[in-house]
Amino acid sequence: MSVINSVLIENRIFPPAEALVERSTISGRVAYDALCQEAETDYSGYWARLAREHLTWKKEFTTSLDESRAPFYQWFADGTLNVSYNCLDRHVEAGLGDKLAIIFEADDGQLSRITYQQLLARVCQLANALRARGVKPGDRVLIYLPMSIEGVVAMQACARIGAIHSVVFGGFSAKSIHERIVDAGTVAVITADGQCRGGKRIPLKPAVDDAIAMGGCEMVHSVIVFQRTGDDCSMQAGRDVWWHDAVREQAQTCEPEWVGAEHPLFLLYTSGSTGKPKGVQHSSGGYLLHAALTMKWTFDIQADDVFWCTADIGWVTGHTYIAYGPLACGATQLMFEGVPTYPNAGRFWHMIQNHKVSVFYTAPTAIRSLIKAGEISPETHPKNYDLTSLRILGSVGEPINPDAWMWYYEQVGGSRCPIVDTFWQTETGGHMITPLPGVTPLVPGSCTLPFPGIQASVVDETGLELEWGKGGLLVVKKPWPSMIRTIYGDPQRYANSYFPADLGGNLYLAGDGAMRDPNTGYFTIMGRIDDVLNVAGHRMGTMEIESALASNPLVAEAAVVGRPDDVTGEAICAFVVLKQARPSGAEAAEIANQLRSWITKEIGPIAKPKDIRFGDNLPKTRSGKIMRRLLRSLAKNEDITQDVSTLENPGILDQLKQNA
Ligand code: PRX
């Protein structure tokens, strides 16, 4: 791989306010450096100290990192604990039973509140119900639930009895559920009759029925159904049971299953470079340690905070920063069933105001769509709301372009709140590279520096560390506690994809391009290496072109993919959403030319998109991720043959077929 040219230059820098430095758990660069130094000097001792301080163990571990079966690393392996005990019982035992654990706001605005004591009781009841139905430690349980307190209860109940959950996002199709049931050998499913999103009722249970009917699912002996919408729902006698019936007679206490630290906590399926999703397997002890630690250090979570992560529990962000992290810290969190644009695009700001949210964690794509909405309907702009309760903002899932960053910083955070741009992945379990609010001067668009103890680096295609200023492959040099343990049922694929022999076999390959700033060492993520383009021998991160496009005053959002080109190898194809209505004809051609000139000016003629296509929106999953594989097909003018079942807005595909 030749070096990725970085052409984004960002000079703005925002140091943390003095008051914030003083009150933060990790206060100032000296404290950060001391932690990094401790990890440098005694890596395994550093993590062992943290695991003792932040988790409650049933049996203390005597070994920290075990590398004897590398790359199948183990952490704290001879210790035993229970994740749900750590998230619930220990807070109740410490006198926090009456503290609010979750404030749940439904799609229609209805509120439910649950304390730690109440949550523990509900988790115990469901755990008992699962046990009563024969679910044993190590069994796989598929969870297909809407955003709900029950979603968290289901995950925690599995953890309590040592069952391994596999949460499937509510937007996935029956076929996807079927694949996951079969791949994991699932014995039970927890689902709901339906869900409410954006004022609509969407059925869920039929997809589970269809999945099981596809065959090969004979081991599924139980389906527990939470009644959310009350809509008609077929129940198969002997197999299906209503949640409320299953728990009615169950005790509100339940002895936790004390498991080894390496006992799998969950599988979470994610897309890889091949078509088959991979079941990323996480551990109990190491995973929970990082979930707790990142809550405390990245989000600086304090006793009086109201934390809100807008992710869905179907994605890793919802696992670590809804179902486990906030509870492991005894925090109060807000949880939301609906969508950011219903009843209008001011919903997020309205909720922050109402619930006095102090730490807010969302995705750049949400920010960008709300920027656009605020321009179209000014009454939904954040300035109309009292957002003074906010003290820390977070971003996750994709690179945040500097323009969106500045809007988030100024319009949402009132130029007071640091933005922690957290780089991580399903496979990493928790934050890997991120600012810490009381430590790190912020640079828009950079995820800055590794979390203390994480040994991130940028290497060339042979695994050689590159000097700062050169783009290359993002790697992690040492195993860390919350890392993926294996791909379920395919250990070889785990070893090959994450520890490739080309890099020497001992570096974790993230799959992203990155570059470190020559002066500060700050990391900038340049997009997936599979999204890196090579145009006429020049490598460029697609994110840089997108960011440049997005900085044009006409542009609301842009995505860039490569397509084969006879002359230049690859050509750049840009899909653009304007702040104004979608142009056509001569107007479209005119704006496309303006954008080409803009890119020429911002980056250089090499980055000029050959094709520009305008849409009212981009094809996105319901979680808001742009579906680049669809864009690549569109760019190549191929017929769409892929599964579009997770697509939020299939109507958009037709618009994007024509060049401007
Ligand atoms: O490309 C990186 C991007 O999202 C990928 C991981 O996706 P997933 O496993 O779905 O997890 C998303 C939530 C953690 C990464 O390989 N990514 C994630 N966070 C960032 C990011 N890219 C740039 N900046 C980030 N903060």
Side-chain angles (χ1 to χ4, degrees):
M1 188 202 76
S2 60
V3 166
I4 301 165
N5 298 311
S6 175
V7 271
L8 257 190
I9 298 162
E10 176 59 64
N11 293 320
R12 288 169 289 199
I13 187 153
F14 299 85
E18 207 44 55
L20 191 76
V21 176
E22 271 164 33
R23 73 160 285 185
S24 295
T25 305
I26 309 300
S27 170
R29 182 68 191 242
V30 173
Y32 172 85
D33 287 341
L35 288 166
C36 295
Q37 190 53 50
E38 184 188 345
E40 197 70 44
T41 315
D42 175 10
Y43 190 68
S44 130
Y46 167 78
W47 290 112
R49 172 178 76 76
L50 295 169
R52 288 195 185 95
E53 284 175 12
H54 295 271
L55 299 182
T56 305
W57 296 84
K58 180 72 171 174
K59 174 174 161 275
E60 283 278 333
F61 55 88
T62 61
T63 57
S64 178
L65 169 61
D66 175 358
E67 300 184 270
S68 59
R69 292 177 52 243
F72 300 91
Y73 300 100
Q74 301 209 321
W75 285 93
F76 324 123
D78 64 343
T80 64
L81 82 174
N82 179 277
V83 167
S84 121
Y85 176 87
N86 272 272
C87 292
L88 301 167
D89 308 58
R90 67 167 170 165
H91 307 311
V92 174
E93 287 166 15
L96 293 175
D98 291 334
K99 182 171 179 178
L100 278 183
I102 303 176
I103 306 163
F104 177 75
E105 183 163 322
D107 190 51
D108 65 3
Q110 205 178 340
L111 296 177
S112 341
R113 295 185 171 82
I114 188 164
T115 65
Y116 272 91
Q117 176 68 62
Q118 292 164 335
L119 187 60
L120 171 60
R122 295 195 53 193
V123 167
C124 286
Q125 283 189 305
L126 187 68
N128 288 330
L130 288 167
R131 272 187 183 153
R133 297 182 74 86
V135 179
K136 296 183 296 300
D139 280 353
R140 276 78 58 209
V141 176
L142 186 137
I143 297 177
Y144 187 65
L145 283 170
M147 284 294 283
S148 52
I149 291 176
E150 285 70 18
V152 175
V153 170
M155 294 163 82
Q156 288 282 344
C158 288
R160 194 155 190 96
I161 63 170
I164 303 166
H165 62 67
S166 158
V167 182
V168 177
F169 174 62
F172 276 111
S173 62
K175 191 161 169 284
S176 311
I177 299 172
H178 177 256
E179 258 172 31
R180 287 156 174 74
I181 289 178
V182 172
D183 189 78
T186 304
V187 303
V189 176
I190 308 176
T191 188
D193 50 0
Q195 58 180 338
C196 302
R197 282 168 69 84
K200 297 191 200 83
R201 294 141 85 100
I202 307 154
L204 285 174
K205 172 71 165 36
V208 171
D209 292 337
D210 293 350
I212 296 175
M214 285 175 192
C217 302
E218 295 70 30
M219 60 290 174
V220 178
H221 56 64
S222 293
V223 178
I224 298 179
V225 188
F226 163 58
Q227 194 167 37
R228 167 66 187 99
T229 59
D231 290 340
D232 270 355
C233 174
S234 81
M235 298 290 281
Q236 184 175 308
R239 187 195 71 185
D240 300 356
V241 60
W242 289 107
W243 175 306
H244 50 265
D245 290 334
V247 300
R248 186 173 294 125
E249 305 293 327
Q250 298 298 341
Q252 299 192 353
T253 55
C254 169
E255 176 63 14
E257 181 75 30
W258 303 105
V259 298
E262 281 297 319
H263 184 77
L265 179 64
F266 65 84
L267 308 179
L268 185 55
Y269 284 81
T270 188
S271 322
S273 45
T274 74
K276 188 175 181 286
K278 43 191 180 184
V280 171
Q281 181 179 315
H282 277 287
S283 70
S284 297
Y287 171 81
L288 191 66
L289 171 62
H290 208 59
L293 210 55
T294 49
M295 282 300 299
K296 291 178 188 176
W297 293 359
T298 311
F299 294 124
D300 190 45
I301 203 80
Q302 309 277 346
D304 55 352
D305 273 318
V306 177
F307 177 75
W308 183 19
C309 166
T310 68
D312 191 282
I313 52 165
W315 310 114
V316 74
T317 307
H319 281 57
T320 308
Y321 299 105
I322 296 177
Y324 292 111
L327 299 178
C329 299
T332 296
Q333 69 175 316
L334 178 62
M335 193 177 178
F336 177 42
E337 181 180 38
V339 299
T341 46
Y342 177 81
N344 63 44
R347 183 71 182 262
F348 275 5
W349 322 132
H350 189 246
M351 286 178 64
I352 291 171
Q353 169 179 286
N354 269 9
H355 301 291
K356 302 206 167 16
V357 171
S358 53
V359 182
F360 178 62
Y361 192 32
T362 195
T365 190
I367 308 279
R368 288 192 294 263
S369 70
L370 297 177
I371 294 174
K372 186 173 184 210
E375 271 158 22
I376 295 168
S377 325
E379 73 282 3
T380 67
H381 189 279
K383 68 176 177 230
N384 302 306
Y385 300 84
D386 176 4
L387 304 181
T388 51
S389 58
L390 287 171
R391 63 182 201 93
I392 293 170
L393 302 173
S395 173
V396 61
E398 43 179 328
I400 179 163
N401 52 298
D403 272 11
W405 195 101
M406 285 307 303
W407 187 89
Y408 195 25
Y409 185 76
E410 289 172 347
Q411 306 300 324
V412 181
S415 303
R416 293 183 327 277
C417 309
I419 298 177
V420 289
D421 175 3
T422 60
F423 169 83
W424 60 295
Q425 310 173 294
T426 304
E427 293 89 340
T428 70
H431 304 155
M432 298 299 280
I433 308 179
T434 177
L436 302 186
V439 173
T440 322
L442 306 169
V443 171
S446 169
C447 55
T448 75
L449 294 172
F451 191 81
I454 299 297
Q455 313 278 329
S457 182
V458 180
V459 301
D460 70 10
E461 71 277 16
T462 66
L464 211 65
E465 202 150 14
L466 289 168
E467 61 191 88
W468 293 0
K470 290 222 163 105
L473 304 172
L474 179 63
V475 296
V476 187
K477 295 192 287 183
K478 284 189 178 163
W480 66 101
S482 66
M483 68 189 293
I484 174 175
R485 292 306 194 263
T486 189
I487 293 174
Y488 190 80
D490 201 349
Q492 202 52 51
R493 186 174 174 199
Y494 160 80
N496 296 344
S497 12
Y498 300 109
F499 296 90
D502 296 357
L503 303 186
N506 58 355
L507 296 175
Y508 169 85
L509 178 68
D512 283 287
M515 195 191 66
R516 302 190 71 166
D517 181 89
N519 301 314
T520 57
Y522 278 15
F523 286 78
T524 297
I525 306 298
M526 305 170 73
R528 297 291 303 189
I529 43 183
D530 19 27
D531 282 330
V532 169
L533 309 182
N534 187 330
V535 182
H538 295 268
R539 276 183 180 269
M540 285 175 303
T542 49
M543 177 249 157
E544 291 180 331
I545 308 170
E546 289 172 10
S547 198
L549 277 170
S551 70
N552 183 288
L554 294 174
V555 174
E557 192 167 21
V560 170
V561 299
R563 65 160 173 80
D565 184 277
D566 287 347
V567 181
T568 55
E570 254 184 324
I572 299 165
C573 181
F575 295 87
V576 177
V577 182
L578 295 179
K579 289 174 185 158
Q580 69 188 59
R582 186 170 77 100
S584 60
E587 193 198 358
E590 156 64 21
I591 296 178
N593 280 333
Q594 280 181 32
L595 294 179
R596 287 193 182 96
S597 310
W598 175 268
I599 294 290
T600 304
K601 188 171 107 305
E602 289 287 297
I603 303 179
I606 184 68
K608 221 163 51 170
K610 190 150 186 177
D611 301 343
I612 296 187
R613 301 178 184 192
F614 295 105
D616 289 325
N617 209 328
L618 296 173
K620 288 178 188 164
T621 62
R622 293 189 184 89
S623 71
K625 251 198 163 41
I626 296 170
M627 294 184 78
R628 286 171 188 282
R629 61 189 173 82
L630 288 183
L631 291 180
R632 279 193 285 267
S633 295
L634 287 166
K636 284 191 232 165
N637 295 322
E638 287 172 341
D639 288 331
I640 304 290
T641 52
Q642 298 109 320
D643 179 12
V644 292
S645 60
T646 56
L647 192 59
E648 173 91 81
N649 45 0
I652 222 73
L653 297 179
D654 274 335
Q655 288 184 357
L656 296 172
K657 283 187 177 152
Q658 296 125 30
N659 278 328

